Structure formats: C-alpha cells, structure tokens
Amino acid sequence: MSIGRGEPASGAGTSPAAGLARPILEVDNLTVTFGDGPGSVRAVDEVSLAVETGDIYAIVGESGCGKSTLAYALLDIIPPPGRVTSGEVRFKGRSLSQMSRGELNRVRAAEVAMVFQAAMNAFHPVITIGAHVDHTLQAHPEVFASRSEGREYFRYLLNLVRLRPERTWDAYESQLSGGMKQRVAIALALVLKPSVVVLDEPTTALDVLNQRLMIDILADLHRSLGVSIVFVTHDLALVAELAGRVAVMYAGRLVESGTVDEIFASGGRRHPYVTALTAAIPTVVGAVSDVRPIPGEVPNLAQLPPGCRFSPRCALAEPICQEQEPALLQDDRGHLVACHVANRLLGVPSK
Amino acid sequence: MSRYIARRVVASLAIIYIVISLSFFIVRLMPGNAVSALESQLSVQGMTTQQIDAQVNAIYAVTPKAPLWRQYFTYIGHVLEGKLGRSIINQSETVLHIIANALPWTIFIVGTSLIISFVIGIAIGSALAALQHTRAAKAVSFVVSVLSSIPNYLVAIVLLYLLADIHPIFPTGAAYSVNVTVGFNIAFIGSVIVHGVLPIAAYVITSFGVWALGMKGSAVSVLGSEYVRAAESRGLSRRRLTQTYVGRNSMLPQVTTLALSVGFMFGGSIFIETYFSYPGIGYQLDQAINSRDYSVMMGCFILITVAVVVSNFLVDLLYPLVDPRIASPGGARSVADRRAEGTKAMPVGGSTA
Amino acid sequence: MRDLVSRLGAFWKDLWRLSKNDKGAMVGGAVVALYCVVAVIGPYVAHLSRVTNPADAYLPPSLAHPLGTGPLGQDILSELVVGTRPIMEVGILAALMTVSVGVVIGLVSGYLGGFADSVLMRVTDVFLTIPGLALVIVIASLVRTSSPVVLAAILSVTAWAGLARAVRSQALSLRESDFVEAARQQGLPLRNMVGRQLLPNVGPYVAIHFLLDVTGAIYAEVGLFVLGVVPISGTNWGIMIYLAMGQGALFTTKSMLYLFSPMVAIVILQVAFVFFTRVLDALFNPRLRVQ
C-alpha cells in the first residue's frame, strides 16, 4: 500500500520566494461576476495570487467579501449565475478555462480537492458515506490499481482524521455529528491524493474543542501527506496558527498579501483594514476594552463607494482615497499592499 | 420498519373509520334530513309505517325509529360488511354494485392521467432546472404556470367544445362504444382508448405543470446545494451527478405529492367525468347529487376517501425505499408531515412557480 | 409599534423592488387589483337590463355590446362585470376563514403541546387526507345555500389543515428555542413572543397560503355553480357557464363568446393570483432573493 504522494513537501511554511519552480496554483487577474447588465456584481475583482508547492495559504476576509467565490473558482465550480469574466486560474501552469470537461474532472479531486464550508451539507443525505467514496473512486480509476486499494487508503485517512473507519463507512450523514462530518469531508477530499486541498471555512461551524482538533489534524495532514493547503477563513487566530502565507480580501479585492509574519508583525507596512482586523481579535488574556471593532459595515457589492472600497470605514482615509482605487504594490520581498497611505508612508516605489 | 408500517396501518384505518362516521352524520344531521325526507315521500305514496321502515332500512342501512347511537352502530356494522344500502332511484341496484362498476373506469382514467402527467412533468421540470436562466426555459415556465393555473373543468369544457361537438373527432361520452363487445378484443380496447383520450387530456393538461414546476423548484434547490457542488468538486461524471445526486433527491418531494394528487384527481373526477359522461365514480356521484340519491352519494364519497387513504398508504410504504432516513428511528416522518410542507405546491387549479 | 411600522415599510420597499424585477408578478398584482376594483364598483357601473329581447340573442360584438349578447339578448360584458363580486367575495371570505382557522389551530396546538397537540394534529391529519373537493361538493349539495358566508365556510372545510400544520411546527420550534426559555424564566408573558417572533416567522407563509386559498376557493366555488350543485340565483361567472351549457352552448359556434367569456375571466384571475404569489415567494425565500 502506498501512502502519501511522492516525497514530503520541502518544509512547511518556507519562504515563498525560495521556490524557483512554478507555483502549483496561480490565480491571475481573476474577476468573477454574478448576473449581467447593470445589476451585476463582481464578487471577485482582479485578484491575483500564487500558491507554491507545500504552502499553507490563507485567504482572509469578512463574510461577503468574495473569498468563498474565489475558492470555488480554484476548481472552476462557481455556482450559477456567477462566471469568470476575466483572468484565469492555472494549475501547474495549465489554465482551467482551457481544459476540456474530462481534463477538468481529472484535475478536480485528483489534483485540487475541496472541502466546503458547512461540511454538514456536503453529503448527499440519502446515500452512505461509503457510496460517496465509491462514486469518487469510480470517477478516477487512474488513481488506484483497484477499488479495494482506494477503500483501504480512505480507511487510512479516516484514521488520520481520528475517526473509526468501520463506523463511518455505512453511515448516512444524518448519523454523524458536525465535527465528524467535517473530518469525513476532509478524508473524502484527500482520498485521491490531491496535491492541493482547498478548505472553505474549515473551523467556522465547529465548537472550540473541535476547532482545536481540526487545526491539529490539518497540520498533521500537511506534515504526513505533504499536501498543499489553501483555506478560506475570517478567523485570524486560525491563520496565525496554521498559515505560511496570507492574502486578505476586502469587498472582492485583494488588499494585502504576504507571509504570516509580515501580516501579524506590528509596525510593518500594512493595510489599515488588516491593522483594524488584528485589533478586532479578542485575546484570552487581554481586556475586552482592548478589542476595537471596525466601525461601519462591509459595503454592498452592488453599491461600492468610489475610490478605495475601505475608505468609508478607514481612520487614515484621505481625499485621494475617495477618488482613486489604490494599486496593489509589491516591496522587494514580495509583500503586497493596496493602500495609498500605507504605500506612501513607507515610500514604496510604484511598479 | 415494522413499527413504521404498523403506525401507518392504524392511522389509515382510523381515517377510514372517521370518514364512515362522518358520512353517517352528514346524511342524518345536515339541514334537510335525508332520512325524514324519504319517509315523508314514502308516506305520500301511501305506504304503511312498517313498509316505510323496511324501505328506509334497505336504502340507508339504518332503522329510523331506533335511537341515534344505535342507528350509528348498525350503519358502521353494515358498511364494514360492505352493505352500503341501495339506490333510491333504482332500488334494485345495491350501492356496492354501482360503485364496483364505476370504480375501474375512474382508476383507469386517473391512473393513466397520473402516469402521463408525472412523466411529462418530471421531464419538463428537469429540463427547466438544467436550463434555468435561459430564455427558452423562462418561456416554457410561463406557459406551464399558466396551464397549471387553469381549472380542469374549464379545460374539459373547451376540449369538449373543440374536439367533440364542433369538430366531432372524439366521442362526447361513455367509456366505450355500444357497437363493440366487451372483452379482451382489439375493437373494445381501441374503443376504450378513444373514449378515454379527452378525459385524460383534460387531467394531463392541467396537472403536468404542477409536477414540472415542483420538479423544477426542487431540482433548482438541489442544484444549488452544497453537496452537489461537493460532488462536482470530486470530479464525478455528469451522468452520475444528474442521476444519483440531483435527480434522486429532487424526486423525493414529488413522490410525496403523488399521494396528494391522487386525492385531488379523484375529487376532480366529479367534474371531468360529468362533462364527458364517463361512467366512473365522479359521474355516479354527480348523478346521485342531482337525483338526491343520498345512499349512492355517501357510498361514492366513502369510496373516494378510501382510495385516497390507500394511495397515501402505498406511498408511505414505498417512501423508505427511496429515502432510507424514514425507516431509521429518528427520522420517521409520515407523508402527512411532509405533505403539510408540500400543500403549497398542490393548490387547486394553481401552483407556485 | 415603531418596530412594526419600520418592518412594514421595509416589506413594501422589498416588495416593490422585487416586483420591478419580475414583470409577471407585477402584472399579476395589477390584474388582481383590477379585479378587486371591479368587484367593488361593478354593480354600480354595469346594469343588467330586466327586459331582454330574444331577437337580440347571440349578437356579435359591437360598441353597444363589446362582448356580444347571450341567448336572451343580455349584454355579456355587463353580466361579467356584475358577476365579479359574488366570486371574489366568496373566494376572499373562504380564504380568510381558512387562514384564521389554520393559524388558530396551529398556534394552540404548538403552544399547548402534549395531549391537546396530539389530538388536534390527529384531527388535522384527517382533514388533510379527506379529498376536499369531494367533501365540499357533498356538503354543498346537502346544504343548498346561496348565502356567501355559508358557502365560504363550506369551501374552507378542509383547506385549513395544511396551514395549521405549518404554523404548529413554527410554534413548536419557537417554543423550544433558547430565547423563549430565557423569556419564560424572566417571567415575560408568552404573547409578547407571539407578536414579536412567531408572527413575523409565520406571516410570509400565511400570506402565500391566503392568496393560494383564494384561487382554490374560486376554483371550487365556480365548479359548484358549473355543476349546478348550489342554487342558481343572481349572476356570477359560474352561473353564466352553467346556463350557457344548459342552453346548448357546446353545440354551436355562435354561443362561443357567451360560454368562453366567463371562462377567460376566471383563467386570467387564477393565473394573475399565481404569478402574484411568486413575488411573495421570492420576497420570503432568501435563497431566491439573493439572485
């Protein structure tokens, strides 16, 4: 029985600039539009990012900022009426939009797998977990020599996510708890030995104990299977604990991206939204009065403010912020920030 | 599982019992008491009290002079033995005989219509869901919504007018032509089919839309559900997705509605069979109403209810086969439970698009 | 109180916004409103002439008779207009009765729980199972009423059951919710909960049910008249169809307008109701609303 895919990753969370090889997953100037005509909404607006082999990559944002849509776009499963209107997603340098349906289906799950938000609803309610696995194996006969080998690997994965295989196989989703479903969903996503797994809000629906367990399991899987992980979340604590690289989205746009150190280190060049987000996390030891919620609300994507989308809520906003959309500028280490004020303060040269 | 079946059996029998009681009290207690009406009618004809009692007993299966509770128990006993009394109009005919002759025709028409409209409706509904947001689907949705909002008796009248009276393509009534010999021969079967076309068409035209819209609605919501997206993300084939993941689950609510629509169609048979003079239960009920033949009337009513209860029971039995959650201890929801949520989908002459 | 006003304001705003996107629903709403207006003012606008001239029978449409005349020379349009009120009246009355009975039984059952709940729900199940139309026809033929109130009561005899079940399940889930438990421990009366929490939850369902009940009642009501089960008095669409059929309208093309005008009136109304319901559906169904 072969376990794991190839050699383990070349060190979790290593510096992204170190990888000279192509990124395994690239998002290039991607725009996803819902609806058409004047009522249409851009849930993802000209977003670019690159996931290197072995990365743990976090996409952070408040609800409704387009981060789940971005995650769907990574597998080209954007729910209608949404569609990609510009840009593309590349897996190992190949554009998903240029693949045939057959090729795409081979990439899905076998190469890039997804674990959905609310994994509670990720299973067909009237067939067993085992049937889900069999259907998946059947759709990808190239991965394993035989069906039983695939089932055997799924049992191994269930052990990894700390579930009892014999009790899970014949269960219906209604017989599993929320935390168990989430873990089964992860095992199911990994059954075809993908190189990248995308998780949408992996901890949101879980209680604190299960969240802890989930973080341990994900770190474990990353170590023992060498799988690259992309996850979408609004939970900064999870990001700090797990991620190597972080991209922060606000109202459909990327506002900052860098290593987890660059994002969380105090004093660095940061987008005011990210500063405000980190200030809004309550800590166990700190006083509640230290928690500063961000004033105002996330703008409705259908009625965006002119200029910088964060400007109405921003403490540092200047007149230019209401007029001109700030560009996403890179420093020499690859740290990207889209803010007129932050970029000027640190004198980062324009591209 | 056996507990589930036992509960459904008890519930079904209880409803049949209640309907039989209801029919007794309706005839006895409604304004214009039917039994006393018959008594006075017979006494006008110059019968003696004994003769009248005997006659009333034969027709209504009750003894009029006995106290009400005793009449009630006698009646229940008689009905359970299959003695539904006799027709007032044609006193040589038992109600049971009339019903037994009429029932096969109604089952033929209602059953055929149900199958045809279910198949057409599910096919159209699936296509509408697959093609949602396209112009063609919107146009078809519109036509289907309009058709399913039209009362079925109006469609019957239009069909009768256009295809039987003004352009005599189909016969205007009866279940088969007088020229054929009843039996298993081509002429008879052909005649039955030709006579059934218009009544069946009237049902199908007004009811396939309910299935189509119901199927479209549930398929759209299943299509939007996480687990279909999850299955898609695992690279399952299109065929596997549409059949096992979308199709099967979208069908579940339709199976529930199936039981409901049997009741609706049996009710509608009063209109359809009357206009097409089709000798089924609905036609007999209408005849009985017009001639105030209460024993036939209540017999037909009891029978229609029993038919509905039986079909509900069958669907309850079949449901666990398509949805294993039902048979599991925590998930035992009867058709009645699910139907309450589904009532919106099965209004009279209309449906939510 | 202010809360309710702002809620209603938001409701109308949403309704308007969604109607603008769904032309079918907008037209449906307008048609329903038009029928209501005709039902109210119809008898004052149109007059049925008592004296008719059989020589005027089955006249083709003209300025004097836009829809032509019937077998007795009567103006079809006037009959149609005058016949709107009895139909709408009974339909709306029946739907009101249906909805009130359904809501009351559902609430009582859900709040009392226990034995009362199981008894009420068994009764509801019986009414859900009995084929409503058959029962309505049987009762109507025995009672033979021409009073709109009694007729409406007969029409709503089984229709309430589905709503009662839906309201009950809402009430049950509310009863078991944490905040009701908290309110109970603080000694707040439950009726506050009914107003603040339950009605807003059930309201949408009740509204949709009401509209569909009107269509259902009209279907059955016209059906009763067309069958001739209820006494024929006055004028309404059902009676028009019944009389037309009785006078052999099916066998001649010249009576087409007389037979088909009331039918078209009914169909337009039913379709309008169903399309109008759709916008409410969208309004109350968040999944549809997002799109």
Side-chain angles (χ1 to χ4, degrees), chain C residues 247-266:
Chain C
Q247 278 146 358
L250 278 179
F251 306 102
T252 148
T253 44
K254 66 183 180 181
S255 61
M256 216 168 82
L257 273 174
Y258 185 51
L259 177 64
F260 286 152
S261 306
M263 288 171 52
V264 170
I266 295 163

Side-chain angles (χ1 to χ4, degrees), chain B residues 224-243:
Chain B
S225 67
E226 287 275 298
Y227 69 85
V228 171
R229 206 119 18 87
E232 206 180 353
S233 83
R234 275 180 262 124
L236 302 197
S237 66
R238 172 126 292 196
R239 203 167 138 212
R240 167 72 74 193
L241 273 178
T242 47
Q243 283 181 1

Side-chain angles (χ1 to χ4, degrees), chain A:
Chain A
M1 188 181 77
S2 74
I3 285 163
R5 163 175 288 272
E7 64 272 52
S10 52
T14 44
S15 155
L20 285 171
R22 298 201 75 113
I24 187 157
L25 200 57
E26 290 165 279
V27 176
D28 191 5
N29 211 21
L30 185 79
T31 301
V32 178
T33 311
F34 279 80
D36 37 25
S40 70
V41 156
R42 288 178 175 191
V44 175
D45 200 350
E46 297 180 358
V47 169
S48 298
L49 46 89
V51 180
E52 309 281 340
T53 305
D55 262 352
I56 301 188
Y57 203 112
I59 300 169
V60 183
E62 290 170 85
S63 36
C65 73
K67 55 191 193 309
S68 292
T69 307
L70 178 59
Y72 294 149
L74 295 179
L75 281 87
D76 197 23
I77 47 168
I78 303 162
R83 63 191 197 286
V84 174
T85 41
S86 78
E88 61 182 14
V89 175
R90 285 190 296 271
F91 174 76
K92 290 185 174 166
R94 297 249 297 125
S95 167
L96 296 187
S97 57
Q98 257 139 51
M99 291 183 187
S100 69
R101 197 182 156 84
E103 278 180 285
L104 203 54
N105 273 346
R106 272 194 295 282
V107 168
R108 286 175 184 160
E111 295 285 3
V112 186
M114 175 120 193
V115 180
F116 285 80
Q117 179 176 13
M120 340 273 118
N121 309 323
F123 297 99
H124 190 313
V126 300
I127 63 178
T128 60
I129 299 299
H132 283 86
V133 177
D134 280 345
H135 292 161
T136 311
L137 294 172
Q138 193 187 347
H140 300 272
E142 70 282 1
V143 177
F144 292 98
S146 69
R147 181 81 62 85
S148 58
E149 201 177 299
R151 290 181 180 175
E152 194 54 43
Y153 185 64
F154 184 70
R155 282 193 196 103
Y156 165 74
L157 289 170
L158 284 178
N159 281 319
L160 274 189
V161 298
R162 301 163 205 193
L163 285 171
R164 298 238 296 278
E166 64 279 10
R167 281 186 52 188
T168 315
W169 186 265
D170 286 323
Y172 293 99
E173 56 102 33
S174 50
Q175 294 162 338
L176 302 172
S177 75
M180 288 161 88
K181 272 187 250 181
Q182 180 90 13
R183 283 180 276 153
V184 175
I186 291 176
L188 181 55
L190 291 170
V191 71
L192 299 170
K193 305 182 180 176
S195 23
V196 182
V197 58
V198 181
L199 299 107
D200 190 2
E201 300 277 11
T203 56
T204 309
L206 303 178
D207 59 66
V208 180
L209 288 178
N210 270 312
Q211 286 185 5
R212 183 71 257 161
L213 184 62
M214 187 54 56
I215 293 173
D216 291 347
I217 286 174
L218 288 177
D220 222 22
L221 290 170
H222 182 247
R223 208 166 28 242
S224 52
L225 302 180
V227 63
S228 308
I229 294 178
V230 177
F231 68 98
V232 164
T233 188
H234 63 267
D235 180 1
L236 285 178
L238 176 67
V239 174
E241 191 140 7
L242 203 58
R245 286 192 68 84
V246 184
V248 183
M249 286 183 75
Y250 185 81
R253 284 187 82 92
L254 203 60
V255 294
E256 178 165 349
S257 113
T259 63
V260 70
D261 295 336
E262 285 163 344
I263 301 282
F264 284 99
S266 53
R269 178 183 65 121
R270 280 197 303 185
H271 195 282
Y273 173 61
V274 180
T275 315
L277 265 188
T278 46
I281 315 176
T283 57
V284 178
V285 287
V288 179
S289 57
D290 289 346
V291 178
R292 272 165 292 147
I294 310 175
E297 283 173 34
V298 184
N300 181 341
L301 287 172
Q303 293 157 347
L304 287 172
C308 172
R309 291 168 189 196
F310 186 60
S311 59
R313 301 168 75 186
C314 181
L316 307 177
E318 295 176 4
I320 187 179
C321 300
Q322 265 118 46
E323 288 156 19
Q324 208 181 322
E325 190 130 21
L328 194 61
L329 296 181
Q330 192 171 20
D331 67 10
D332 45 3
R333 287 183 304 166
H335 181 200
L336 294 156
V337 176
C339 174
H340 294 299
V341 179
N343 284 342
R344 191 183 57 229
L345 282 177
L346 279 151
V348 173
S350 296
K351 268 198 253 190

Side-chain angles (χ1 to χ4, degrees), chain C:
Chain C
M1 191 60 212
R2 194 182 301 150
D3 184 50
L4 192 70
V5 171
S6 70
R7 249 175 204 287
L8 273 178
F11 173 83
W12 285 112
K13 238 168 92 182
D14 271 0
L15 187 66
W16 176 244
R17 187 174 55 80
L18 283 162
S19 307
K20 271 197 304 197
N21 291 338
D22 188 343
K23 291 196 192 66
M26 192 130 135
V27 173
V31 170
V32 170
L34 179 74
Y35 271 74
C36 290
V37 170
V38 171
V40 173
I41 64 168
Y44 307 109
V45 186
H47 298 282
L48 301 180
S49 44
R50 298 202 170 276
V51 197
T52 50
N53 182 1
D56 291 340
Y58 296 132
L59 290 179
S62 63
L63 272 182
H65 305 290
L67 290 175
T69 58
L72 302 171
Q74 71 274 46
D75 180 48
I76 293 175
L77 185 64
S78 308
E79 281 205 356
L80 212 55
V81 169
V82 174
T84 308
R85 183 187 279 185
I87 296 289
M88 298 287 285
E89 200 175 55
V90 173
I92 290 173
L93 214 53
L96 278 177
M97 292 181 186
T98 303
V99 166
S100 342
V101 174
V103 169
V104 169
I105 294 209
L107 278 184
V108 168
S109 188
Y111 270 116
L112 292 182
F115 182 68
D117 176 43
S118 29
V119 170
L120 280 174
M121 280 306 110
R122 291 294 83 76
V123 174
T124 307
D125 280 353
V126 172
F127 279 95
L128 266 178
T129 311
I130 296 177
L133 193 58
L135 185 62
V136 163
I137 290 176
V138 164
I139 296 181
S141 71
L142 288 166
V143 177
R144 298 217 163 234
T145 179
S146 41
S147 140
V149 181
V150 179
L151 194 54
I154 295 174
L155 290 172
S156 51
V157 71
T158 62
W160 55 270
L163 184 62
R165 259 194 171 273
V167 172
R168 169 196 174 253
S169 64
Q170 281 284 349
L172 266 188
S173 66
L174 182 68
R175 213 169 70 114
E176 280 152 19
S177 67
D178 295 341
F179 62 87
V180 168
E181 188 49 40
R184 197 180 291 137
Q185 284 174 10
Q186 288 170 25
L188 291 180
L190 267 184
R191 69 190 135 80
N192 281 1
M193 291 294 142
V194 175
R196 292 242 180 89
Q197 297 298 332
L198 186 64
L199 287 184
N201 277 347
V202 182
Y205 199 88
V206 173
I208 292 173
H209 220 277
F210 174 79
L211 289 178
L212 291 177
D213 284 341
V214 177
T215 68
I218 290 178
Y219 164 83
E221 181 198 1
V222 174
L224 289 180
F225 281 110
V226 174
L227 269 189
V229 170
V230 276
I232 303 297
S233 71
T235 288
N236 69 41
W237 307 332
I239 293 176
M240 288 173 76
I241 300 172
Y242 176 76
L243 292 176
M245 303 258 295
Q247 278 146 358
L250 278 179
F251 306 102
T252 148
T253 44
K254 66 183 180 181
S255 61
M256 216 168 82
L257 273 174
Y258 185 51
L259 177 64
F260 286 152
S261 306
M263 288 171 52
V264 170
I266 295 163
V267 170
I268 291 176
L269 179 62
Q270 300 285 70
V271 172
F273 262 118
V274 169
F275 275 74
F276 182 55
T277 314
R278 205 168 61 180
V279 76
L280 287 183
D281 234 5
L283 184 59
F284 300 131
N285 187 340
R287 186 185 280 133
L288 293 170
R289 203 169 170 179
V290 172
Q291 297 189 0

